Amino acid sequence: MDIPLLSVLSHVAWPAPLAPPAANRLATLFQLEHSQWWPADELQRAQFRQLRELVPYAVRHVPHYAQALARFADAALVTPENWSQVPLLTRAQLGADPKGIVSRQVPRDHGRQAPMRTSGSTGVAVDIVATELTEFFWGVYTLRDHFWHRRDFSQKLMAIRYPRGQDKPLPGPQRSPQWGTATDAVVRTGAAVMYDVRLDISYLADQLIAERPGYLLGHASVLGGLIEHCERRGIKPQGLLELRPMGEMMPSDLRERARDAWGVPVVDMYTCQEAGYLALQCPEHEHYHVQAENVLFEVLDEHGAPCRPGEVGRVVVTSLHNFATPLIRYEVGDYAEVGEPCPCGRGLPVLKRIVGRHRNLLTLPSGERRWPKMGYEGLRKVVPVDLMQIVQHALDDVEVRLAVPQPLTAEQQQALTEYIHRNFGHPFPLRFTYGVELRNPKSGKLEQFISMLPSGTTRPA
């Protein structure tokens, strides 16, 4: 794989001497190229070597941890055997007392600090402080993703995303000669273009055809909507090499639909604003590798024990390098399924799938809670739906919000009702709503199912 690195010297194209920032990124990536092959126990030893730097520092300089982790001021106690005794940090705690998690003293060589606020798409917005170091690592893992999947850097990148700080949709494209900050000064790339996720899907489809990008980055629901729209109009983008979903849980049928309709693969990633890259899709398989050099990643069952392969549990992460807002055993709010070790030989932990969030659980009248089967694989064979979001307001109140070309007929509505009943395993009373905004206005994300019920809801007396 010939990577067109950007030489810092005139008339020297290969091997390419790099500018210091780019050289640092590639030097770190060189280390990751080795550590990805380490066995699990060697990865764990390296993680805890870093944790013995992070945890005592947090005890000394962060108000919350000065109390919660006082006994771990002694680095010798920060061990795998003691780790389960470290209390979890919940999203609600972080949102309620953001200043209590911020360090009073950040190492000077970690660079400038920048406040960051998450979108609140899960119901609780949280504030953290990032550093130049955490941004550096974000760029490194972006490069790892590009290199793992052997992307053609000469291609155009098209992104459909939410531009922060914009109250109204940007009416047209935002263009750049390079893909972004992760590749700047490192590798020569094609151009990039960004469109606002809030724009009409038919307009976005027209731009996709006109732009002819090699790579398309966007929310999974937007990518699915574009596939549906193009199929309906009998058009197909030319030159597209890969779809890269971001920001939402990926529908289970998106890979198949992308292959069938456009003949392109889907390469997924798992990130969160608070901790950066959590997992990347394996270069050889469709499951995910935890980015163990960036986070200590745990999947815990209802008793707080580690899940085994095939089990679904709560995602708990510890960000290894943020000394401005240390997130130690932070309960992100997601659920994931643990996978078996990967045949590719990488020692990085495996996630079979990212399931969703706690508020994405359906509650039956019996009080049982389960992951709802949304059934997008066959939905469009039943009714012509662009987007659908289901909200459970109460045990006997389920709202179906629809974005459709035109309101459903009585027959179509009945067919959709029967389809949802089959997938949910219960004949919930349904009410249909048209013309409402389905995406979170602060992030552009779409949650396919939302429960408004408090945890522990049971049948009314």
Side-chain angles (χ1 to χ4, degrees), residues 153-171:
F153 290 104
S154 69
Q155 295 287 328
K156 178 189 285 188
L157 170 66
M158 179 174 173
I160 302 174
R161 62 195 314 165
Y162 180 82
R164 293 193 173 278
Q166 298 291 331
D167 294 332
K168 296 181 180 179
L170 296 175

Side-chain angles (χ1 to χ4, degrees), residues 266-336:
V266 170
V267 177
D268 198 16
M269 68 183 87
Y270 179 29
T271 67
C272 74
Q273 286 180 283
E274 305 97 300
Y277 280 89
L278 304 182
L280 294 173
Q281 184 173 316
C282 176
E284 301 174 33
H285 303 278
E286 292 184 348
H287 54 230
Y288 306 80
H289 282 294
V290 171
Q291 300 303 283
E293 304 95 339
N294 187 52
V295 292
L296 177 64
F297 192 102
E298 302 174 74
V299 182
L300 305 179
D301 66 18
E302 58 184 358
H303 305 295
C307 288
R308 294 170 295 186
E311 295 180 342
V312 172
R314 297 171 292 157
V315 171
V316 173
V317 302
T318 300
S319 181
L320 296 177
H321 303 106
N322 190 340
F323 283 68
T325 309
L327 299 177
I328 300 174
R329 300 203 85 200
Y330 171 53
E331 192 172 355
V332 178
D334 292 341
Y335 283 73

